[in-house]
Amino acid sequence: MRHLAIIGSGPAGYYTAEAAQKAFGDDVHIDIIDRLPVPYGLIRFGVAPDHQSIKNVSRRYEKVALTDNVRFVGNVSVGDDISIAELQELYDAVILATGAPNDRTLEIPGSELDGVIGSAAFVGWYNGHPDFTELNPPLDGKNVVVVGNGNVALDVARILAKTETEFAGSDIVGHALEALKASNVEKITLLGRRGPHQIAMTPKELGELGKLTRACPRINPDDMPDEGDDAMLEPGMRKSVTHLRAYAAIPEEYRADKSVEIDFDFFAMPVEIQGDGKVEAVVVEETELDTDMRSNGTGNRTTIPCDMLISCIGYRTPPIEGVPYEHGRGRFASDEGRIMPGLYCVGWARRGPTGTIGTNRPDGYAIADMIAEDIGNGAGKQGREGLDALLKSRGTDLVTFRDWKNIEQAEIGRARDGAPREKFVDVEDMIKARGVM
Ligand SMILES: Cc1cc2nc3c(=O)[nH]c(=O)nc-3n(C[C@H](O)[C@H](O)[C@H](O)COP(=O)(O)OP(=O)(O)OC[C@H]3O[C@@H](n4cnc5c(N)ncnc54)[C@H](O)[C@@H]3O)c2cc1C
């Protein structure tokens, strides 16, 4: 019997489990350990609450979770409740699928001011992540600046711009819905260091901005490259740019009944955040692109009002004691996922925060192949029995998949009308809810 411990129950964790089941059949026991009592990582806490069809991928993970040789071990934080060295003693392979949950910080003067928020925190707040329940983002001001030109920036802008009715059918948490209902935001500026041909926004998400009830995108037509140059783009990107061209052509009359503007400020980088204790303005420098499409400041600076700044500029994996780490890139150090025989990383913890949910699938399968090469038939380790004994001796209250299904039922039971669920937003409430059935 081979014993595998996968740390993290997001897409990378579940795809790795699926691949290991295929590789080893009945000759494997897999424990998927997560620091939270609820599974699925960013499927629950990252993917936007108004994108329920994307969240449905968790049904595939549930199939894996419900097979006999896979177990979910929630509410156990690796690095705190148990060390990597201890797990290596107990399991033939330990796989870090811990994602990249920490915001990369905007390293400019003023970034410590109140009202400057990273997207992990803001997204975690509206998705009910227990770490960010108390965030209380300042929504009383008119101007929000969102730094970044990727899909996370689009999610953030869309969530800020939607009316209550547009959240029907979503699982946005109650505290966020109430706060957004009372929001005074009128202008959301998306700052991008480069231009329309360099965005990392996909067509579907970009297209949604053109269909909002009270909000309308604005793009300066002078920022758009010559239309003939679009032919050089790959098809998905060309489609995204087509949306930008349509937004640049929106006539002023159309904006008359729109109370929120989403302004794409291309070729613009924040260089300073100003304010007395809290953010009040952002100094923005115009940029131009060199022949390698890198952006360079031109020295032309303007100051824009800002009551809240949300930076969507990437994420880092927190280090775990005893695991080699690439500080520059903010991820574990590995050779294609092999940290050393018996210790691996996968998904965002391996690659950094890039790619879609599906990108983690081949990652998981490649790691399972590596594990097969390295561990043979297993070395007679204790596996889950040893883990349970150790956690019991420490008084750790682990949460099982059956407990999670009870929590899920309780969340479904307390949903608003038309919503799929009302999530519990703190760990204690989740743990209490496991006993409801
Ligand atoms: C805001 C946002 C929106 C996104 N929207 C989309 C989308 O619409 N479509 C799409 O295809 N992709 C989307 N993505 C990307 C997608 O979510 C990622 O590709 C994917 O979640 C990465 O999977 P992962 O398993 O590596 O990490 P995660 O999903 O982050 O999972 C990591 C898991 O590890 C656990 N963990 C962390 N540290 C520990 C520890 N020390 N001990 C135990 N457990 C631990 C965490 O609790 C978590 O459950 C989005 C990403 C973000 C940030």
Side-chain angles (χ1 to χ4, degrees), residues 311-358:
S311 63
C312 308
I313 56 168
Y315 305 97
R316 296 170 65 85
T317 299
I320 296 182
E321 200 186 317
V323 182
Y325 190 75
E326 273 186 65
H327 285 274
R329 304 181 82 160
R331 61 184 193 191
F332 297 120
S334 75
D335 179 9
E336 303 284 317
R338 185 188 275 117
I339 298 170
M340 61 184 75
L343 182 62
Y344 310 85
C345 56
V346 67
W348 277 18
R350 174 179 91 76
R351 305 191 312 274
T354 57
T356 61
I357 295 163

Side-chain angles (χ1 to χ4, degrees), residues 6-15 33-36 38-48 51 54-55 61 72-73 76-80 96-101 119-120 123-124 126-127 129 151-153 155-156 204-205 315 317-320 346-360 363:
I6 296 175
I7 320 306
S9 66
Y14 272 105
Y15 287 127
I33 301 173
D34 205 288
R35 61 180 279 252
L36 292 172
V38 293
Y40 308 138
L42 286 173
I43 302 303
R44 177 175 167 108
F45 294 117
V47 171
H51 284 171
I54 295 175
K55 288 183 188 269
Y61 308 149
F72 173 69
V73 184
V76 175
S77 176
V78 172
D80 301 312
L96 296 164
T98 49
S119 60
V123 169
Y126 65 63
N127 267 323
H129 192 297
N151 277 344
V152 176
D155 279 354
V156 165
K204 179 181 164 287
E205 282 69 20
Y315 305 97
T317 299
I320 296 182
V346 67
W348 277 18
R350 174 179 91 76
R351 305 191 312 274
T354 57
T356 61
I357 295 163
T359 319
N360 301 295
D363 243 27

Side-chain angles (χ1 to χ4, degrees), residues 101-108 110-126 131-141 143-148 152-153 156 160 179-180 185 270 273 277-280 282 306-315:
N102 291 1
D103 277 301
R104 195 160 80 79
T105 45
L106 195 58
E107 308 231 330
I108 57 174
S111 59
E112 75 294 346
L113 288 170
D114 280 356
V116 177
I117 297 172
S119 60
F122 188 72
V123 169
W125 171 74
Y126 65 63
D131 289 355
F132 304 110
T133 306
E134 307 292 331
L135 182 73
N136 205 10
L139 291 160
D140 48 339
N143 297 293
V144 177
V145 172
V146 178
V147 181
V152 176
V156 165
L160 283 167
L180 289 164
V185 173
I273 305 169
K278 67 176 195 44
V279 55
E280 288 166 18
V282 184
C306 175
D307 304 295
M308 172 165 71
L309 181 143
I310 302 173
S311 63
C312 308
I313 56 168
Y315 305 97

